[in-house]
Amino acid sequence: MASQDYDLFVIGGGSGGVRAARVAAGHGARVAIAEEYRFGGTCVIRGCVPKKLLVYASRFADEFRDAAGFGWTVPEPTFDWPTLIVNKNREIARLEAIYAGNLEQAGVALQRTRAVLEGPNTVRLGDGRVVSAGRILVATGGTPNRDAQLPPGGITSNEVFELDALPRRVIVVGGGYIALEFASLLHGLGAATTLVYRGEEILRGFDLDLRRALRAALQARGIDVVLNRLIRRVHSSAGGLHAELDDGRRLDAERILFAVGRSPNTRGLGLERVGVALGANGSVKVDAYSRSSVPSIFAVGDVTDRVNLTPVAIREGQAFADSEFGGRPTAVDHGLIPTAVFATPELGTVGLGEEAARAHHAQVDVYRSEFRPLKATLGASTERMLMKLVVDGATQRVLGAHMLGEGAAEMAQLLAIALRMNATKADFDATMALHPTAAEEWVTMR
Ligand code: FAD
């Protein structure tokens, strides 16, 4: 292996690649990592982190409205998009520098360039140099699907973070978590928002009660939700963009955000040439140890299209490095991954939804609690919280916990621990309540 330039060459400096590079270097490997855009990757630069900052910004609207009932007089609030974007950019630049600095500190060689595969043990860098390595890790993430006819003025989530102004009217196309989060935050910041989704109900794959409740809540807040519809064509004029739906309805907007899924970022990487087996959507096919069909080539994160979330990419990167360089073969457990939709209201979930549970278990008990949170008694909101426990009737094991309302994501993280420990409904019931909280409902559901 010493005849190679490096023991490991990582392509992609995002969540999975950075973790793998640092841990492998910690195990004593000689490591290089190439990043063609910015270290930190999607999550840090144009995903989880900047999105959550925008979500926080959007939620002040609720706080201002609620304040009066608690005795506060708040002058008419105004919002300045450029201030938010400048502050967000400052924080992202800080994080990016930390990621790059941590890699350098670990002794990883940084290549700020695109890298593609040249052979099973070689990569070609942007400047034409060819570098060899004992192992190559593909951690190139994913990219937004661009609707075939992405019109001028049409954008993806990548561009939202850089808009120079908040659009006054926006159409968001899609029904997945990214579409809902952006529809929600743009609406909260003041944009008149329409969501157009081709399916029957938003958030395919989640518990149906929660899907319906979130959709109804978004509508009650004033988002125009159009289901079972496609945009047939878009034309632009001096007045903005004009979308025509397949039922003839016309919608006007300054921007149309297409959040219609993401695809593995493998185009032009040279994987086919080297003989790496790919899935139908271009994902790198891997086994439980992130090994591709070529023995020297591995892949982690969104490019493998397993569960496309940052903590999963990080775990896969860690497990790869421990397996290949730490002498500790480790497979990642992809079960019971908690997840959230940072819409407002927020949705948090772990485990099976009611429909999925019924498909796998003969008897399923469902506990459901819907209530007005204490804060709403004096505040301006009429929104209700929804919590749901899905329990295996035979063993009484809790199979899923689902929630819509403030704090749902934070609760889902903690519920995931209980579910991983095979908690039963009796364990939930035996746990003392913490009063007054919304979370106490989890242990008082009958
Ligand atoms: P990435 O983080 O995408 O990193 C891949 C890197 O590789 C990129 O930096 C790219 O520039 C680089 N690259 C690609 N090709 C090359 C090449 N040939 N040479 C050199 N460099 C290359 N996940 C959550 O867990 N929670 C969230 O709230 C959440 N919100 C999200 C919101 C949005 C809008 C988006 C788009 C995603 C969100 N995600 C969220 C998903 C999360 O961002 C991804 O799952 C995660 O970033 C995947 O990490 P990765 O290492 O696989 O790839």
Side-chain angles (χ1 to χ4, degrees):
M1 210 183 262
S3 61
Q4 313 276 9
D5 295 324
Y6 296 101
D7 300 322
L8 172 65
F9 195 100
V10 180
I11 308 180
S15 309
V18 167
R19 174 58 67 95
R22 282 181 58 191
V23 174
H27 288 312
R30 298 169 303 139
V31 184
I33 185 168
E35 169 53 54
E36 66 177 348
Y37 181 52
R38 294 174 69 180
F39 279 99
T42 303
C43 182
V44 174
I45 307 296
R46 46 196 183 185
C48 338
V49 176
K51 171 200 75 187
K52 189 84 185 274
L53 293 174
L54 268 54
V55 168
Y56 281 128
S58 71
R59 288 181 179 169
F60 281 93
D62 285 358
E63 298 296 324
F64 294 133
R65 268 193 296 271
D66 280 342
F70 293 91
W72 290 94
T73 302
V74 181
E76 186 61 34
T78 57
F79 169 70
D80 185 53
W81 173 267
T83 301
L84 173 62
I85 296 304
V86 165
N87 291 347
K88 180 269 292 177
N89 288 345
R90 186 177 359 94
E91 174 58 11
I92 299 313
R94 188 183 73 85
L95 292 175
E96 179 187 8
I98 289 175
Y99 271 78
N102 285 346
L103 283 164
E104 276 167 345
Q105 241 171 28
V108 177
L110 271 55
Q111 305 284 350
R112 296 179 186 272
T113 177
R114 182 169 169 80
V116 297
L117 286 163
E118 180 82 2
N121 291 99
T122 45
V123 296
R124 179 180 290 278
L125 305 184
D127 61 8
R129 268 183 305 143
V130 173
V131 177
S132 63
R135 292 177 182 78
I136 296 170
L137 179 68
V138 179
T140 52
T143 45
N145 293 339
R146 287 172 189 264
D147 205 65
Q149 16 141 26
L150 194 66
I155 54 173
T156 70
S157 62
N158 282 351
E159 289 80 41
V160 176
F161 296 115
E162 304 305 331
L163 290 178
D164 46 19
L166 176 72
R168 270 166 302 177
R169 299 193 70 82
V170 64
I171 300 169
V172 178
V173 184
Y177 83 96
I178 294 177
L180 293 167
E181 291 175 342
F182 279 104
S184 202
L185 75 87
L186 291 168
H187 177 262
L189 293 174
T193 305
T194 303
L195 182 85
V196 178
Y197 177 50
R198 64 181 180 175
E200 298 248 320
E201 188 55 276
I202 59 169
L203 284 181
R204 193 159 48 90
F206 286 74
D207 181 273
L208 187 55
D209 261 345
L210 275 282
R211 297 166 69 189
R212 288 182 176 146
L214 176 56
R215 192 244 311 135
L218 296 178
Q219 287 171 319
R221 281 174 170 262
I223 297 178
D224 180 16
V225 180
V226 182
L227 299 175
N228 294 307
R229 289 287 162 253
L230 289 169
I231 291 187
R232 193 154 52 192
R233 65 179 72 88
V234 178
H235 72 271
S236 53
S237 73
L241 299 171
H242 313 284
E244 189 186 315
L245 305 187
D246 55 0
D247 63 352
R249 182 174 164 189
R250 274 188 49 158
L251 298 169
D252 300 325
E254 280 176 23
R255 299 283 182 182
I256 304 182
L257 165 59
F258 288 85
V260 289
R262 294 173 60 81
S263 296
N265 200 355
T266 49
R267 196 173 299 162
L269 258 190
L271 289 160
E272 298 93 326
R273 193 176 53 228
V274 180
V276 174
L278 301 181
N281 66 350
S283 61
V284 178
K285 284 192 182 172
V286 289
D287 68 9
Y289 296 90
S290 297
R291 295 182 286 216
S292 82
S293 59
V294 173
S296 57
I297 299 177
F298 302 75
V300 294
D302 285 10
V303 77
T304 63
D305 199 20
R306 285 177 277 184
V307 180
N308 298 330
L309 292 169
T310 274
V312 179
I314 292 173
R315 279 286 169 97
E316 290 169 358
Q318 173 91 39
F320 155 77
D322 286 343
S323 299
E324 294 300 318
F325 298 100
R328 199 160 12 107
T330 311
V332 173
D333 179 356
H334 289 91
L336 286 176
I337 297 171
T339 177
V341 180
F342 292 102
T344 307
E346 185 171 285
L347 191 155
T349 173
V350 58
L352 297 179
E354 183 178 343
E355 298 72 33
R358 290 197 191 285
H360 291 99
H361 297 267
Q363 195 204 327
V364 172
D365 302 337
V366 174
Y367 300 84
R368 200 175 180 283
S369 175
E370 206 189 327
F371 59 97
R372 194 172 173 218
L374 182 59
K375 189 176 174 190
T377 56
L378 298 192
S381 170
T382 55
E383 227 160 58
R384 296 173 77 76
M385 285 198 173
L386 173 61
M387 291 180 180
K388 201 169 160 182
L389 277 180
V390 178
V391 177
D392 181 354
T395 62
Q396 286 301 299
R397 196 181 140 200
V398 179
L399 301 171
H402 314 279
M403 174 179 169
L404 184 68
E406 193 176 332
E410 304 288 342
M411 286 188 225
Q413 176 68 85
L414 301 178
L415 288 161
I417 302 173
L419 265 64
R420 272 200 76 84
M421 297 177 75
N422 295 317
T424 62
K425 180 66 170 63
D427 292 321
F428 274 63
D429 293 346
T431 303
M432 195 65 82
L434 193 165
H435 185 73
T437 60
E440 68 183 307
E441 284 295 318
W442 294 117
V443 299
T444 56
M445 278 192 215
R446 295 287 179 265

